[in-house]
Amino acid sequence: MEGGHNTLSIKLQQAFTESLHSIDINDDEITIIVSAQDILHIMSQLCVAPEFKFEQLIDLAGVDYLDFGVDEWDTETA
């Protein structure tokens, strides 16, 4: 499956050059990191573009860094 992942990785990079912050292939999984403002466009293209034709969203994650470093929580002992 590695060859298929490499092919998909290349297609993603070509289609979303300006939007991808990073792309990572790990085991049987490809992870792409994009800005929140680009998510809707990218997900729509992954669904309808002939080179992708994704049928199902499996996982979507988000991280809020708004208060990073200014919160009162002590996470060193967590």
Side-chain angles (χ1 to χ4, degrees):
M1 192 63 148
E2 176 95 13
H5 284 5
N6 287 332
T7 301
L8 179 56
S9 175
I10 291 168
K11 287 181 181 182
L12 288 166
Q13 289 171 342
Q14 290 172 342
F16 307 115
T17 303
E18 299 295 319
S19 301
L20 287 181
H21 292 285
S22 69
I23 186 166
D24 182 49
I25 302 173
N26 189 3
D27 294 327
D28 263 351
E29 202 171 271
I30 294 180
T31 301
I32 62 173
I33 298 178
V34 300
S35 297
Q37 66 196 27
D38 295 321
I39 289 175
L40 184 58
H41 168 73
I42 290 173
M43 289 185 357
S44 295
Q45 289 304 305
L46 289 174
C47 181
V48 300
E51 64 269 42
F52 299 117
K53 290 291 190 184
F54 280 41
E55 296 179 358
Q56 183 176 15
L57 175 64
I58 300 295
D59 194 10
L60 177 65
V63 178
D64 179 3
Y65 285 111
L66 184 61
D67 291 327
F68 183 75
V70 295
D71 199 350
E72 62 190 47
W73 289 89
D74 181 11
T75 58
E76 291 180 20
T77 60

